[in-house]
Each structure stands twice: as C-alpha cells, then as structure tokens.
Amino acid sequence: VYTNGVLMKDNVLHTDGSSEVYVYNIAGQAYTSTHQVTDAGGKVTLIERFHSDGSYQYKAAYNSDGSKVYDYYTSTGVRSSEVVITSTATTTTTYDTATGNKLVVYTANVDGSADNKVYTNGVLTKDNVLHKDGSAEVYVYQITGQSYTSTHQVTDASGKVTLIERFHADGSYQYKVTYNADGSKVYDYYTSAGAHSNEVVITST
C-alpha cells in the first residue's frame, strides 16, 4: 500500500499460512516502522519496531513453548533491558548501554523465590538468593584487599545469620562460622592453602 507514491504498508502471506505485516513512515512515535509476524493459526510470534536509522526500538518474541521475550532499546538502538517470561519465572536483565555488559539479572520465580545477580564490568560480583521458605543467601565475589576473594552468607526466614563462609581465590576455605539452632557456634580457621588449622566450638555450657 502506497501513499503519495511512498510505500506505507506491506502485507505478506506465505504458503504455509503464516504472514507478515510491515508498516513504514510512522509519525508521532519513537519508532518509524514496524514488523509483525503471525503463524498459520493467527498467533502473533514476533513484533519489531525500528528507529528511522533501522536500529531497534523494541522487540517482542512469543515462543511456541509459551515463553515471551521483550527487548527494550535506547534512542540510538542499544539494548537497555530484556524481560523473559516463562511459566515458572520472570527474568529481567539490564545492560550497560555504553559497553553492552550485564548490570543486573533479576529472576522472580512463581513459587516466591528470587535471585538477583549484580555485575561490574560484565563480571558477577554479588548474588542475592531468596528461597521460597524465606531463607536467603548472599554470595559476594571479586573481593580485593583481603585474604579471601569471595564470601557466602546464609540467613534463615527470621533474618538470623546461620552460616558465614570465606574462600580463597582457588575456592578453598579461608574461614567458616556456623550458628546453630541450639545457640551453639562453630568457628573454623584455615591456612592460606585452605588446610583446616583449628576449630572453636562455643556452647551454653
């Protein structure tokens, strides 16, 4: 379809019954053209919107397994975030638009659990995990200036810390402390090579 000699719309029907619709020269929006794909059953499987320079403004994919993927872009066509929805979870990824590296990946599961990963320069530095029973874990990576390079902490549903672990760069233990339900505490110490050097157990008696 043309207006004043300019192509405005293109409807394409394929032999398998699927179809595509292209719309051009859109005014008054952040995008100037769109592309939509529909399968033979009439279900939309893809929506794309483009800036005037042909770069993406938005993209939505509807997959055969029922999952959905939404991609969002800046005014210059750089992907800023992505949302993936499945039957069990929704995962949102945000990107550093200057480098394309991940900044945060947050997953909310339908069972109430969640996972929030934080990246620095594309490298995972922190991971907060919430379990469906209310307990939580925090992993911290790439630690500098200490005798350990990563840590792991566990908290129960009430917010009480039950475990702290510190690790060397090779993954061996640097330190470990366990806070038990009966009130006792167990402290484990390790050498720079990860060998268990001593243990301190504290009870009420």
Side-chain angles (χ1 to χ4, degrees):
V1 179
Y2 293 79
T3 300
N4 298 322
V6 178
L7 180 62
M8 302 295 290
K9 192 174 184 181
D10 186 5
N11 291 68
V12 180
L13 175 64
H14 298 289
T15 56
D16 63 358
S18 63
S19 62
E20 298 178 76
V21 179
Y22 298 85
V23 180
Y24 305 101
N25 298 296
I26 298 170
Q29 301 292 338
Y31 51 91
T32 60
S33 63
T34 64
H35 172 224
Q36 180 174 298
V37 179
T38 306
D39 65 19
K43 177 184 175 183
V44 175
T45 59
L46 179 67
I47 297 173
E48 298 173 306
R49 297 173 184 164
F50 302 94
H51 298 118
S52 57
D53 63 359
S55 63
Y56 270 115
Q57 187 265 346
Y58 170 79
K59 180 181 178 182
Y62 302 91
N63 301 311
S64 58
D65 62 2
S67 63
K68 306 170 186 177
V69 182
Y70 300 93
D71 288 295
Y72 301 87
Y73 300 81
T74 67
S75 59
T76 57
V78 178
R79 185 169 61 173
S80 58
S81 63
E82 180 179 77
V83 179
V84 179
I85 302 174
T86 69
S87 60
T88 58
T90 297
T91 299
T92 302
T93 303
T94 56
Y95 296 91
D96 182 341
T97 56
T99 64
N101 291 327
K102 294 177 182 178
L103 290 174
V104 177
V105 179
Y106 176 70
T107 300
N109 300 304
V110 297
D111 64 3
S113 62
D115 186 7
N116 191 64
K117 291 182 170 67
V118 178
Y119 296 79
T120 302
N121 297 321
V123 178
L124 181 63
T125 53
K126 193 173 184 181
D127 187 5
N128 291 69
V129 179
L130 174 65
H131 298 288
K132 63 181 181 179
D133 64 357
S135 63
E137 297 179 76
V138 179
Y139 299 84
V140 180
Y141 307 99
Q142 313 300 323
I143 297 170
T144 59
Q146 302 291 338
S147 58
Y148 52 91
T149 60
S150 64
T151 64
H152 172 225
Q153 179 174 297
V154 179
T155 307
D156 66 19
S158 69
K160 177 184 175 183
V161 175
T162 60
L163 177 68
I164 297 173
E165 299 173 305
R166 297 173 184 164
F167 302 93
H168 299 117
D170 63 359
S172 63
Y173 270 115
Q174 185 265 352
Y175 170 80
K176 179 182 178 182
V177 54
T178 304
Y179 301 94
N180 298 312
D182 62 4
S184 63
K185 306 170 186 178
V186 181
Y187 298 87
D188 289 292
Y189 300 88
Y190 300 81
T191 68
S192 59
H196 197 185
S197 58
N198 65 297
E199 179 179 77
V200 177
V201 178
I202 302 175
T203 69
S204 60
T205 58

